[in-house]
Amino acid sequence: MKSTAKTKVNLSIGACSSIGPHCVLHSGKLGENVTVGAGTIIGKNVSIDSEVSIGAGCLIEDNAVIGRNVVIDSGVIISKGQKIPANQHISRNA
């Protein structure tokens, strides 16, 4: 069977980054040394700077921007277009 599907992926992942199992990444940019926990969904046109840790089961909605050196705990939802400045720790109870 011959596949005729054409894909255009607009996603870049920086060096030394780690993507856990069962993740969905649509499009955008992940910097260097980014860790994405299992089952996390990253929407379209998301920008994640370097040195970021995202816990398991997170949802990063479309057009979100996450600054450098950010820690996002498991299960956190980052809303569409939300901007997280550098050096933040985001928890579910915030």
Coordinates of all heavy atoms in Angstrom, one line a residue:
M1 N 0.8 -1.2 0.0 CA 0.0 0.0 0.0 C 0.9 1.2 0.0 O 1.8 1.3 0.8 CB -0.9 0.0 1.2 CG -1.8 1.2 1.3 SD -2.7 1.4 2.8 CE -3.6 -0.1 3.0
K2 N 0.6 2.2 -0.9 CA 1.4 3.4 -1.0 C 0.7 4.5 -0.3 O -0.5 4.8 -0.6 CB 1.7 3.7 -2.5 CG 2.6 4.8 -2.7 CD 2.9 5.0 -4.1 CE 3.8 6.2 -4.4 NZ 4.1 6.3 -5.8
S3 N 1.4 5.3 0.5 CA 0.7 6.4 1.2 C 0.9 7.7 0.3 O 2.0 7.9 -0.2 CB 1.4 6.6 2.6 OG 0.9 7.8 3.1
T4 N -0.2 8.4 0.3 CA -0.1 9.7 -0.5 C -0.2 10.9 0.4 O -0.4 12.0 0.0 CB -1.2 9.7 -1.6 OG1 -2.5 9.6 -0.9 CG2 -1.0 8.6 -2.6
A5 N -0.2 10.6 1.7 CA -0.4 11.7 2.7 C 0.8 12.7 2.6 O 2.0 12.2 2.5 CB -0.6 11.2 4.1
K6 N 0.6 13.9 2.7 CA 1.7 14.9 2.8 C 1.6 15.6 4.1 O 0.5 16.0 4.6 CB 1.6 15.9 1.7 CG 1.8 15.4 0.3 CD 1.7 16.4 -0.8 CE 1.9 15.8 -2.1 NZ 1.9 16.8 -3.2
T7 N 2.7 15.8 4.8 CA 2.7 16.4 6.1 C 3.7 17.6 6.0 O 4.7 17.6 5.4 CB 3.1 15.5 7.2 OG1 4.4 15.0 6.9 CG2 2.1 14.3 7.3
K8 N 3.4 18.6 6.7 CA 4.2 19.8 6.9 C 4.3 20.0 8.4 O 3.3 20.4 9.0 CB 3.7 21.0 6.2 CG 4.6 22.2 6.4 CD 4.1 23.4 5.6 CE 5.1 24.6 5.9 NZ 4.5 25.8 5.4
V9 N 5.4 19.7 9.0 CA 5.6 19.9 10.5 C 6.3 21.2 10.7 O 7.4 21.4 10.2 CB 6.3 18.7 11.1 CG1 6.5 18.9 12.5 CG2 5.6 17.4 10.8
N10 N 5.7 22.0 11.5 CA 6.3 23.3 11.9 C 6.6 23.2 13.4 O 5.9 23.9 14.2 CB 5.3 24.4 11.6 CG 6.0 25.8 11.8 OD1 7.2 25.9 11.9 ND2 5.2 26.8 11.9
L11 N 7.6 22.4 13.7 CA 7.9 22.1 15.1 C 9.4 22.0 15.2 O 10.0 21.2 14.5 CB 7.3 20.8 15.6 CG 7.6 20.4 17.0 CD1 7.0 21.4 18.1 CD2 7.0 19.0 17.3
S12 N 10.0 22.7 16.1 CA 11.5 22.6 16.3 C 11.7 22.3 17.8 O 11.0 22.8 18.7 CB 12.3 23.8 15.9 OG 12.0 24.9 16.8
I13 N 12.6 21.3 18.1 CA 12.9 20.9 19.4 C 14.4 21.0 19.6 O 15.2 20.5 18.9 CB 12.5 19.4 19.6 CG1 11.0 19.3 19.4 CG2 12.9 18.9 21.0 CD1 10.5 17.9 19.4
G14 N 14.8 21.8 20.6 CA 16.2 22.1 20.9 C 17.0 20.9 21.4 O 16.4 19.9 21.9
A15 N 18.3 21.0 21.4 CA 19.2 20.0 21.9 C 18.9 19.6 23.3 O 18.5 20.5 24.2 CB 20.6 20.5 21.7
C16 N 19.1 18.4 23.6 CA 19.1 17.8 25.0 C 17.7 17.9 25.6 O 17.5 17.9 26.8 CB 20.1 18.5 25.9 SG 21.8 18.2 25.4
S17 N 16.6 18.0 24.8 CA 15.3 18.1 25.2 C 14.7 16.7 25.3 O 15.2 15.8 24.6 CB 14.4 18.9 24.3 OG 14.8 20.3 24.5
S18 N 13.7 16.4 26.1 CA 13.2 15.1 26.4 C 11.6 15.2 26.3 O 11.0 16.0 27.0 CB 13.6 14.6 27.7 OG 12.9 13.4 28.0
I19 N 11.0 14.4 25.5 CA 9.6 14.3 25.3 C 9.1 13.0 25.9 O 9.5 11.9 25.4 CB 9.1 14.5 23.9 CG1 9.8 15.7 23.2 CG2 7.6 14.5 23.8 CD1 9.5 17.0 23.8
G20 N 8.2 13.0 26.9 CA 7.7 11.8 27.5 C 6.8 11.0 26.6 O 6.3 11.6 25.6
P21 N 6.4 9.8 27.0 CA 5.5 9.0 26.2 C 4.1 9.6 26.2 O 3.7 10.3 27.1 CB 5.5 7.7 26.9 CG 5.9 7.9 28.3 CD 6.8 9.1 28.2
H22 N 3.4 9.3 25.1 CA 1.9 9.7 24.9 C 1.7 11.2 24.9 O 0.6 11.7 25.3 CB 1.1 9.0 26.0 CG 1.3 7.6 26.1 ND1 1.0 6.7 25.2 CD2 1.9 6.8 27.1 CE1 1.4 5.5 25.5 NE2 1.9 5.5 26.7
C23 N 2.7 12.0 24.5 CA 2.6 13.4 24.4 C 2.0 13.7 23.0 O 2.2 13.0 22.0 CB 3.9 14.1 24.6 SG 4.5 14.1 26.3
V24 N 1.4 14.9 22.8 CA 1.0 15.4 21.5 C 1.6 16.8 21.4 O 1.3 17.7 22.2 CB -0.6 15.5 21.4 CG1 -1.0 16.1 20.1 CG2 -1.2 14.1 21.6
L25 N 2.3 17.0 20.3 CA 2.9 18.3 20.1 C 2.5 18.8 18.7 O 2.7 18.1 17.7 CB 4.4 18.3 20.1 CG 5.1 18.1 21.5 CD1 5.0 16.6 21.9 CD2 6.5 18.5 21.4
H26 N 1.7 19.9 18.6 CA 1.2 20.3 17.3 C 2.2 21.1 16.5 O 2.6 20.7 15.5 CB -0.1 21.1 17.6 CG -1.2 20.2 18.0 ND1 -1.9 19.4 17.1 CD2 -1.7 19.9 19.2 CE1 -2.9 18.7 17.7 NE2 -2.8 19.0 19.0
S27 N 2.5 22.3 17.0 CA 3.5 23.1 16.3 C 4.1 24.2 17.3 O 3.5 24.5 18.3 CB 2.9 23.8 15.1 OG 1.9 24.8 15.5
G28 N 5.3 24.7 16.9 CA 5.9 25.7 17.7 C 7.4 25.4 17.9 O 8.0 24.7 17.1
K29 N 7.9 26.0 19.0 CA 9.4 25.9 19.2 C 9.6 25.5 20.7 O 9.1 26.2 21.6 CB 10.0 27.2 18.9 CG 11.5 27.3 19.3 CD 12.0 28.7 19.1 CE 13.4 28.8 19.6 NZ 13.6 28.8 21.0
L30 N 10.4 24.5 20.9 CA 10.9 24.1 22.2 C 12.4 24.4 22.3 O 13.1 24.0 21.4 CB 10.7 22.6 22.5 CG 9.3 22.2 23.0 CD1 8.2 22.4 22.0 CD2 9.3 20.8 23.5
G31 N 12.8 25.1 23.3 CA 14.3 25.4 23.4 C 15.1 24.2 23.8 O 14.6 23.1 23.9
E32 N 16.3 24.5 24.2 CA 17.2 23.5 24.7 C 16.9 23.1 26.1 O 16.5 23.9 26.9 CB 18.7 24.0 24.6 CG 19.1 24.2 23.1 CD 20.5 24.7 23.0 OE1 21.2 25.0 24.1 OE2 21.0 24.8 21.9
N33 N 17.2 21.8 26.5 CA 17.0 21.3 27.8 C 15.6 21.5 28.3 O 15.4 21.9 29.5 CB 18.0 22.0 28.8 CG 19.4 21.7 28.4 OD1 19.8 20.5 28.2 ND2 20.3 22.7 28.3
V34 N 14.6 21.2 27.5 CA 13.2 21.2 27.9 C 12.8 19.8 28.1 O 13.1 18.9 27.4 CB 12.4 21.8 26.7 CG1 10.9 21.7 27.1 CG2 12.7 23.3 26.5
T35 N 12.1 19.6 29.2 CA 11.5 18.3 29.6 C 10.0 18.4 29.6 O 9.5 19.2 30.2 CB 12.0 17.8 31.0 OG1 13.4 17.8 31.0 CG2 11.5 16.4 31.3
V36 N 9.4 17.5 28.8 CA 7.9 17.4 28.7 C 7.5 16.1 29.3 O 7.8 15.0 28.7 CB 7.5 17.6 27.2 CG1 5.9 17.5 27.2 CG2 8.0 18.9 26.7
G37 N 6.7 16.1 30.3 CA 6.2 14.9 31.0 C 5.2 14.1 30.2 O 4.5 14.7 29.3
A38 N 5.0 12.9 30.6 CA 4.1 12.0 29.9 C 2.7 12.5 29.8 O 2.2 13.1 30.7 CB 4.1 10.6 30.6
G39 N 2.1 12.3 28.6 CA 0.7 12.7 28.4 C 0.4 14.1 28.3 O -0.7 14.5 28.2
T40 N 1.4 15.0 28.1 CA 1.2 16.4 28.0 C 0.8 16.7 26.5 O 1.3 16.1 25.6 CB 2.5 17.2 28.4 OG1 2.7 17.1 29.8 CG2 2.4 18.6 28.0
I41 N -0.1 17.7 26.4 CA -0.5 18.1 25.1 C -0.1 19.6 24.9 O -0.3 20.4 25.7 CB -2.1 18.1 24.9 CG1 -2.5 16.6 25.1 CG2 -2.5 18.6 23.6 CD1 -4.0 16.4 25.2
I42 N 0.6 19.8 23.8 CA 1.1 21.2 23.5 C 0.4 21.6 22.2 O 0.6 20.9 21.2 CB 2.7 21.2 23.3 CG1 3.3 20.8 24.7 CG2 3.1 22.6 22.9 CD1 4.8 20.8 24.7
G43 N -0.3 22.7 22.2 CA -1.1 23.2 21.1 C -0.3 23.8 20.0 O 1.0 23.7 19.9
K44 N -0.9 24.5 19.2 CA -0.3 25.1 18.0 C 0.4 26.4 18.3 O -0.1 27.2 19.1 CB -1.4 25.4 16.9 CG -2.1 24.1 16.4 CD -3.2 24.5 15.5 CE -3.9 23.2 15.1 NZ -5.2 23.4 14.4
N45 N 1.5 26.7 17.6 CA 2.3 27.9 17.7 C 2.7 28.3 19.1 O 2.7 29.4 19.6 CB 1.5 29.1 17.1 CG 1.1 28.8 15.7 OD1 2.0 28.4 14.9 ND2 -0.1 29.1 15.3
V46 N 3.1 27.3 19.9 CA 3.5 27.4 21.3 C 5.0 27.7 21.3 O 5.8 27.0 20.5 CB 3.2 26.2 22.1 CG1 3.8 26.3 23.5 CG2 1.7 26.1 22.3
S47 N 5.5 28.6 22.1 CA 6.9 28.9 22.2 C 7.3 28.6 23.6 O 6.8 29.2 24.6 CB 7.2 30.4 21.9 OG 8.5 30.7 22.0
I48 N 8.3 27.7 23.8 CA 8.8 27.3 25.1 C 10.3 27.6 25.0 O 11.0 27.0 24.2 CB 8.5 25.9 25.4 CG1 7.0 25.6 25.4 CG2 9.1 25.5 26.7 CD1 6.6 24.2 25.5
D49 N 10.8 28.5 25.9 CA 12.2 28.8 26.0 C 13.0 27.6 26.6 O 12.5 26.6 27.0 CB 12.4 30.1 26.8 CG 13.6 30.9 26.4 OD1 14.6 30.3 25.8 OD2 13.7 32.1 26.6
S50 N 14.3 27.8 26.7 CA 15.2 26.8 27.2 C 15.1 26.6 28.8 O 14.6 27.5 29.5 CB 16.6 27.2 26.9 OG 16.8 27.2 25.5
E51 N 15.6 25.5 29.2 CA 15.6 25.2 30.7 C 14.3 25.1 31.3 O 14.0 25.6 32.4 CB 16.5 26.2 31.4 CG 17.9 26.4 30.8 CD 18.8 25.1 30.8 OE1 18.6 24.2 31.6 OE2 19.7 25.1 29.9
V52 N 13.3 24.5 30.6 CA 11.9 24.5 31.1 C 11.6 23.0 31.4 O 11.9 22.1 30.7 CB 10.9 25.0 30.1 CG1 9.5 24.8 30.5 CG2 11.2 26.5 29.9
S53 N 10.8 22.8 32.5 CA 10.4 21.5 32.9 C 8.9 21.5 33.0 O 8.3 22.3 33.8 CB 11.0 21.1 34.3 OG 10.4 19.8 34.7
I54 N 8.2 20.7 32.2 CA 6.7 20.6 32.2 C 6.4 19.2 32.7 O 6.8 18.2 32.2 CB 6.2 20.8 30.8 CG1 6.6 22.2 30.3 CG2 4.7 20.6 30.8 CD1 6.3 22.4 28.8
G55 N 5.5 19.2 33.8 CA 5.1 17.9 34.4 C 4.2 17.1 33.5 O 3.7 17.5 32.5
A56 N 3.9 15.9 34.0 CA 3.0 15.0 33.3 C 1.6 15.5 33.2 O 1.1 16.2 34.1 CB 3.0 13.6 33.9
G57 N 0.9 15.2 32.1 CA -0.6 15.5 32.0 C -0.9 17.0 31.9 O -2.1 17.4 32.2
C58 N 0.0 17.8 31.5 CA -0.3 19.3 31.3 C -1.0 19.5 30.0 O -0.9 18.7 29.0 CB 1.0 20.1 31.4 SG 1.7 20.1 33.0
L59 N -1.6 20.7 29.9 CA -2.2 21.1 28.6 C -1.7 22.5 28.4 O -1.9 23.4 29.2 CB -3.7 21.2 28.7 CG -4.4 21.8 27.5 CD1 -4.1 21.1 26.2 CD2 -5.9 21.8 27.7
I60 N -0.9 22.7 27.3 CA -0.4 24.0 27.0 C -1.2 24.4 25.7 O -0.9 23.9 24.6 CB 1.1 24.0 26.7 CG1 1.9 23.2 27.7 CG2 1.7 25.4 26.4 CD1 1.9 23.8 29.1
E61 N -2.1 25.4 25.8 CA -3.0 25.7 24.7 C -2.3 26.6 23.7 O -1.2 27.1 23.9 CB -4.2 26.4 25.3 CG -5.1 25.4 26.1 CD -6.4 26.0 26.6 OE1 -6.6 27.2 26.5 OE2 -7.3 25.2 27.0
D62 N -2.9 26.7 22.5 CA -2.4 27.4 21.4 C -1.9 28.8 21.7 O -2.4 29.5 22.6 CB -3.5 27.6 20.3 CG -4.0 26.3 19.7 OD1 -3.4 25.3 20.0 OD2 -5.0 26.4 19.0
N63 N -0.8 29.2 21.1 CA -0.1 30.5 21.2 C 0.4 30.9 22.5 O 0.7 32.1 22.8 CB -1.1 31.6 20.6 CG -1.5 31.3 19.2 OD1 -0.7 31.1 18.4 ND2 -2.8 31.3 19.0
A64 N 0.6 29.9 23.4 CA 1.2 30.2 24.7 C 2.6 30.5 24.6 O 3.3 29.9 23.7 CB 0.9 29.0 25.7
V65 N 3.2 31.3 25.5 CA 4.6 31.6 25.5 C 5.2 31.3 26.9 O 4.7 31.9 27.9 CB 4.9 33.1 25.1 CG1 6.4 33.4 25.1 CG2 4.3 33.3 23.7
I66 N 6.2 30.5 27.0 CA 6.7 30.1 28.3 C 8.2 30.5 28.3 O 9.0 30.1 27.4 CB 6.6 28.6 28.6 CG1 5.1 28.2 28.6 CG2 7.3 28.2 29.9 CD1 4.8 26.8 28.6
G67 N 8.5 31.4 29.3 CA 9.9 31.9 29.4 C 10.9 30.9 29.8 O 10.6 29.8 30.2
R68 N 12.1 31.3 29.9 CA 13.3 30.5 30.3 C 13.2 30.2 31.8 O 12.8 30.9 32.6 CB 14.6 31.3 30.0 CG 15.8 30.5 30.2 CD 17.1 31.4 29.9 NE 18.3 30.7 30.0 CZ 18.8 29.9 29.1 NH1 18.2 29.8 27.9 NH2 19.9 29.2 29.3
N69 N 13.7 28.9 32.1 CA 13.9 28.5 33.4 C 12.5 28.5 34.2 O 12.4 28.9 35.3 CB 14.9 29.4 34.2 CG 15.4 28.7 35.5 OD1 15.5 27.5 35.6 ND2 15.6 29.5 36.5
V70 N 11.5 27.9 33.6 CA 10.2 27.8 34.2 C 9.9 26.3 34.6 O 10.3 25.4 33.8 CB 9.1 28.3 33.2 CG1 7.7 28.0 33.7 CG2 9.2 29.8 33.0
V71 N 9.3 26.1 35.7 CA 8.9 24.8 36.1 C 7.3 24.8 36.2 O 6.7 25.7 36.8 CB 9.4 24.4 37.5 CG1 8.9 23.1 38.0 CG2 10.9 24.4 37.5
I72 N 6.7 23.8 35.5 CA 5.3 23.7 35.5 C 4.9 22.3 36.1 O 5.3 21.3 35.5 CB 4.7 23.8 34.0 CG1 5.1 25.2 33.5 CG2 3.2 23.6 34.0 CD1 4.7 25.4 32.0
D73 N 4.2 22.3 37.2 CA 3.9 21.1 37.8 C 2.9 20.3 37.0 O 2.2 20.8 36.1 CB 3.2 21.4 39.2 CG 4.3 21.9 40.2 OD1 5.5 21.8 40.0 OD2 3.8 22.4 41.3
S74 N 2.8 19.0 37.4 CA 1.9 18.1 36.7 C 0.4 18.6 36.7 O 0.0 19.1 37.7 CB 1.9 16.7 37.3 OG 3.2 16.1 37.2
G75 N -0.3 18.3 35.6 CA -1.7 18.6 35.5 C -2.1 20.1 35.3 O -3.3 20.4 35.3
V76 N -1.1 21.0 35.1 CA -1.4 22.4 35.0 C -1.9 22.7 33.6 O -1.5 22.1 32.6 CB -0.1 23.2 35.3 CG1 -0.3 24.7 34.8 CG2 0.2 23.2 36.7
I77 N -2.9 23.6 33.5 CA -3.4 24.1 32.2 C -2.9 25.5 31.9 O -3.1 26.4 32.8 CB -4.9 24.0 32.1 CG1 -5.4 22.6 32.2 CG2 -5.4 24.7 30.8 CD1 -6.9 22.5 32.4
I78 N -2.2 25.7 30.8 CA -1.7 27.0 30.4 C -2.7 27.5 29.3 O -2.8 26.8 28.3 CB -0.3 27.0 29.9 CG1 0.7 26.5 31.0 CG2 0.1 28.4 29.5 CD1 0.8 27.3 32.3
S79 N -3.4 28.5 29.6 CA -4.5 29.0 28.7 C -4.0 29.5 27.4 O -2.8 30.0 27.3 CB -5.3 30.1 29.4 OG -5.9 29.6 30.5
K80 N -4.9 29.5 26.4 CA -4.6 30.0 25.1 C -4.0 31.4 25.1 O -4.6 32.3 25.8 CB -5.9 30.0 24.2 CG -5.7 30.4 22.8 CD -7.0 30.2 22.0 CE -6.7 30.6 20.6 NZ -8.0 30.3 19.8
G81 N -2.8 31.6 24.5 CA -2.2 32.9 24.5 C -1.5 33.4 25.7 O -1.0 34.5 25.8
Q82 N -1.6 32.6 26.8 CA -1.0 33.0 28.1 C 0.5 33.1 28.0 O 1.2 32.3 27.3 CB -1.4 32.0 29.2 CG -0.9 32.4 30.6 CD -1.5 31.5 31.6 OE1 -2.2 30.6 31.4 NE2 -1.1 31.8 32.9
K83 N 1.1 34.1 28.6 CA 2.5 34.3 28.6 C 3.1 34.1 30.1 O 2.6 34.8 31.0 CB 2.9 35.7 28.1 CG 2.6 36.0 26.7 CD 2.8 37.4 26.2 CE 2.6 37.7 24.8 NZ 1.6 37.0 24.1
I84 N 4.0 33.2 30.2 CA 4.6 32.9 31.5 C 6.0 33.5 31.5 O 6.8 33.0 30.7 CB 4.7 31.4 31.8 CG1 3.3 30.7 31.6 CG2 5.3 31.1 33.1 CD1 2.3 31.1 32.6
P85 N 6.3 34.5 32.3 CA 7.7 35.1 32.3 C 8.7 34.1 32.8 O 8.4 33.1 33.5 CB 7.5 36.3 33.3 CG 6.2 36.2 33.9 CD 5.4 35.1 33.3
A86 N 10.0 34.4 32.6 CA 11.1 33.6 33.0 C 11.1 33.4 34.5 O 10.6 34.2 35.3 CB 12.4 34.2 32.5
N87 N 11.7 32.3 34.9 CA 12.0 32.0 36.4 C 10.8 31.9 37.2 O 10.8 32.4 38.4 CB 13.0 33.1 36.9 CG 14.2 33.2 36.1 OD1 14.9 32.2 35.8 ND2 14.6 34.4 35.7
Q88 N 9.8 31.3 36.7 CA 8.5 31.1 37.5 C 8.3 29.6 37.8 O 8.8 28.7 37.1 CB 7.3 31.5 36.6 CG 7.4 33.0 36.2 CD 7.3 33.9 37.4 OE1 6.4 33.8 38.2 NE2 8.2 34.8 37.5
H89 N 7.6 29.3 38.9 CA 7.2 28.0 39.2 C 5.6 28.0 39.2 O 5.0 28.7 40.1 CB 7.7 27.6 40.6 CG 7.4 26.2 40.9 ND1 8.2 25.4 41.8 CD2 6.4 25.3 40.5 CE1 7.7 24.2 41.9 NE2 6.6 24.1 41.2
I90 N 5.0 27.2 38.3 CA 3.6 27.2 38.2 C 3.0 25.9 38.7 O 3.4 24.9 38.3 CB 3.2 27.4 36.7 CG1 3.9 28.5 36.0 CG2 1.6 27.5 36.5 CD1 3.6 29.9 36.6
S91 N 2.1 26.1 39.7 CA 1.5 24.9 40.3 C 0.0 24.8 40.1 O -0.6 25.9 39.7 CB 1.8 24.8 41.8 OG 1.2 25.9 42.5
R92 N -0.6 23.7 40.3 CA -2.0 23.6 40.1 C -2.8 24.5 41.0 O -4.0 24.8 40.7 CB -2.5 22.1 40.3 CG -2.0 21.3 39.2 CD -2.4 19.8 39.3 NE -3.8 19.8 39.1 CZ -4.5 18.6 39.1 NH1 -3.9 17.5 39.5 NH2 -5.8 18.6 38.9
N93 N -2.3 24.8 42.2 CA -3.0 25.6 43.2 C -2.8 27.0 43.1 O -3.3 27.8 43.9 CB -2.7 25.1 44.6 CG -3.0 23.6 44.8 OD1 -4.0 23.2 44.3 ND2 -2.2 22.9 45.5
A94 N -2.1 27.5 42.0 CA -1.8 28.9 41.9 C -3.0 29.7 41.4 O -3.9 29.2 40.7 CB -0.6 29.1 41.0

